[in-house]
Amino acid sequence: MHSFSDLAYRCSVFTTTSLNDVEEKTVEALQTSGATSLVKTLQMARLDRIIFAVGMFSVFEALLQDRLNCKNGFREAKKILEQSGDTLSLSKFEDLELAINALKHGQGRSYNTLIAKNGGTLSSKIKLPNEYFFDERDVSEVSTLIDVNDDFIFFCVDIISQVSEVIKRLKPEVIL
């Protein structure tokens, strides 16, 4: 198998390109029709990005558990990042883990930690407590705590790649 980070990047390009094409055609169709199905299509594309990001990061966790032969792949990866001294990658990885957990579980420990850190290293919008919308005028918006757009997806890929490179450098026998 080719490296997970390379495949994740290729999947991300394919997915975002496909979703952007669908959105572009749908917005064009909305210029002459206000059909509910068109609004649902835009919402589907937003939800698809969330599902894709959560899935990609979860599969990475499973790969880490398998290849590092451990029960908690993220915990082991964080130990390796600490050993490497790469504090920026560690911070980004921890913030991404919090964001993915907030996407999966909603308001809870991870979300509260991310809010307390003012989003940390994330550039994506985070819905504050008692906020109902990122942009009330946006018909494509779905109910989520993190605004998952293409930048967020490629942030995930970048972090996966950075973590994989550090692990490869410190543990060359581990193939990710």
Side-chain angles (χ1 to χ4, degrees), residues 41-60:
T41 298
L42 291 176
Q43 292 174 349
M44 174 272 314
R46 294 279 293 263
L47 183 59
D48 200 7
R49 282 181 177 85
I50 295 166
I51 293 168
F52 180 79
V54 169
M56 176 175 46
F57 205 62
S58 297
V59 171
F60 183 57

Side-chain angles (χ1 to χ4, degrees), residues 2 4-15 52 154 157:
H2 293 279
F4 181 79
S5 58
D6 180 50
L7 294 175
Y9 173 77
R10 290 170 180 262
C11 287
S12 297
V13 169
F14 175 80
T15 298
F52 180 79
F154 287 103
V157 172

Side-chain angles (χ1 to χ4, degrees), residues 57-69:
F57 205 62
S58 297
V59 171
F60 183 57
E61 180 178 26
L63 182 67
L64 288 171
Q65 286 173 195
D66 178 59
R67 301 296 165 82
L68 296 173
N69 195 26

Side-chain angles (χ1 to χ4, degrees), residues 1-163:
M1 179 170 119
H2 293 279
S3 75
F4 181 79
S5 58
D6 180 50
L7 294 175
Y9 173 77
R10 290 170 180 262
C11 287
S12 297
V13 169
F14 175 80
T15 298
T16 57
T17 300
S18 299
L19 291 173
N20 287 328
D21 288 346
V22 166
E23 288 170 326
E24 187 178 305
K25 290 175 185 167
T26 304
V27 167
E28 186 178 309
L30 275 170
Q31 303 309 308
T32 57
S33 169
T36 301
S37 63
L38 295 173
V39 173
K40 284 183 179 182
T41 298
L42 291 176
Q43 292 174 349
M44 174 272 314
R46 294 279 293 263
L47 183 59
D48 200 7
R49 282 181 177 85
I50 295 166
I51 293 168
F52 180 79
V54 169
M56 176 175 46
F57 205 62
S58 297
V59 171
F60 183 57
E61 180 178 26
L63 182 67
L64 288 171
Q65 286 173 195
D66 178 59
R67 301 296 165 82
L68 296 173
N69 195 26
C70 61
K71 290 186 179 183
N72 187 322
F74 286 167
R75 185 178 302 138
E76 191 64 28
K78 285 186 245 183
K79 285 179 189 175
I80 294 168
L81 287 168
E82 285 174 2
Q83 291 169 359
S84 78
D86 190 344
T87 56
L88 182 58
S89 291
L90 177 60
S91 293
K92 289 178 179 181
F93 185 62
E94 289 173 335
D95 292 344
L96 183 56
E97 182 182 19
L98 292 170
I100 295 293
N101 283 339
L103 288 167
K104 290 191 310 189
H105 305 294
Q107 291 187 9
R109 272 191 327 253
S110 293
Y111 171 76
N112 292 335
T113 302
L114 203 52
I115 290 295
K117 294 174 75 172
N118 198 24
T121 59
L122 298 178
S123 61
S124 295
K125 293 183 224 170
I126 301 168
K127 199 175 288 173
L128 298 175
N130 301 316
E131 278 188 329
Y132 299 103
F133 302 99
F134 292 111
D135 180 358
E136 193 170 354
R137 299 165 295 164
D138 185 354
V139 297
S140 73
E141 189 168 321
V142 295
S143 180
T144 185
L145 296 173
I146 314 288
D147 187 20
V148 177
N149 55 23
D150 293 354
D151 290 339
F152 183 89
I153 288 172
F154 287 103
F155 179 76
C156 290
V157 172
D158 288 342
I159 299 311
I160 288 169
S161 180
Q162 289 172 27
V163 170

